[in-house]
Amino acid sequence: MTHPVKLGLIGCGVAARELHWPALQAVAEEVELVAVCNRTAQKAQHFSAMAGGVDWYVGWDELLARPDIEAVDIVLPATENLAATRAALKAGKHVLVEKPLAPTAEQALAMLDLARSWPDRVTMVAENFRYAAAFERIRNWLDSGEAGRPYALNWNAMMLMHEDNRYIASGWRSSDAFPGGLVLDAGVHYMAVVRDLLGEITRATASPSQVNPHLGRYDGAAFTLNTASGATANINLYFSAAAHSEWRLVLLAEKGSATYDGRTLVLSDAGGRTREWRRDDDDGYASELRAFARAIRGGKPVASSFAAGWRDMLPIVRAMATPGQWVDLG
């Protein structure tokens, strides 16, 4: 059996603790966490204790200097992705970086340049929706031809998020350095799925909004997307919905439909027959780590490359720059 990839974790905040650490435990046969680091000693020590006493450091320099560490999982504010990725690649490490790839188009393109400069290193974006079981089932259903041609997708994600939410409280999502706010941070999930199910997004228009300024420049947006398959997608993302909560995807095809509410996936055909699945994974976090490890050990290209991460960002940053206008994405 191939020995596990020895991994260093850069960033010990809430996403690392609540999302990445459970996934790392689930894939321990393929990925071994050997060290962690954080800007503050307290968080690094706490994570180390939680992870069984692995080595911990303040800052990433000492972690990256270790020759036994083959790869890093960067779970930092997106505003720090470029600096951390550059340092890791210069140290010879494979890189998995939490989505979104970057806070701006300029930094995203700089991330692509880094990946091209180190072609022998695996560079991957941790976009868990791309690896979630529910979306994989929908993709396989479409690929089988059973549903016919998909022609429309509607996805409502409406919820109330307060500024004291543990994922919001750190403040970077509402800073000037991250102009896309929650719409960019969460929106890349939805764009990744649209691209995987319906093909490349070729044109986009957006109507962004702000209700709660503490959540950033934008805390909501409605997107209409044209795709290479000819299907149209409408995505409504609103994070200050005071009196309504909804998270539901509906995909229409010539011979059937798919609905998913985050818990139950239902595939229906024109004859009235349905198949249901309850969500049976962690929304793709463990699967993305397996894909990262297998790319390192087996050389298989990753689906969630830096280039894919940039294409997930592109409809958001381009369409929100010119609200209400159609933007061609090439």
Side-chain angles (χ1 to χ4, degrees), residues 20-53:
H20 287 243
W21 172 235
L24 284 165
Q25 292 174 284
V27 299
E29 75 284 357
E30 296 188 59
V31 181
E32 179 187 359
L33 182 65
V34 297
V36 303
C37 69
N38 197 73
R39 181 175 55 85
T40 60
Q42 183 179 11
K43 283 187 178 180
Q45 286 179 299
H46 174 74
F47 200 107
S48 170
M50 182 177 66

Side-chain angles (χ1 to χ4, degrees), residues 238-311:
Y238 293 99
F239 301 101
S240 294
H244 184 75
S245 179
E246 179 182 359
W247 195 96
R248 189 167 190 259
L249 175 151
V250 178
L251 184 147
L252 303 178
E254 293 171 320
K255 302 176 185 178
S257 66
T259 63
Y260 182 52
D261 64 3
R263 298 177 301 276
T264 303
L265 169 65
V266 180
L267 300 181
S268 305
D269 66 26
R273 293 177 293 273
T274 63
R275 288 169 286 170
E276 293 189 11
W277 292 268
R278 295 287 292 179
R279 197 183 90 184
D280 56 1
D281 74 338
D282 65 349
D283 260 352
Y285 289 101
S287 293
E288 71 186 2
L289 281 165
R290 286 194 186 94
F292 183 52
R294 292 173 186 181
I296 293 169
R297 288 288 178 258
K300 183 179 179 181
V302 294
S304 197
S305 64
F306 279 15
W310 164 233
R311 294 297 302 192

Side-chain angles (χ1 to χ4, degrees), residues 95 97 101-102 107-116 122-127 130 188 192 195-196 200 302-315:
V95 172
V97 62
L101 179 67
Q107 289 194 34
L109 295 174
M111 292 284 276
L112 294 185
D113 286 341
L114 288 176
R116 285 190 287 263
V122 175
T123 48
M124 177 175 166
V125 179
E127 175 43 75
R130 186 164 275 121
V188 289
R195 294 179 56 241
D196 284 356
E200 200 57 75
V302 294
S304 197
S305 64
F306 279 15
W310 164 233
R311 294 297 302 192
D312 296 340
M313 288 178 58
L314 186 61

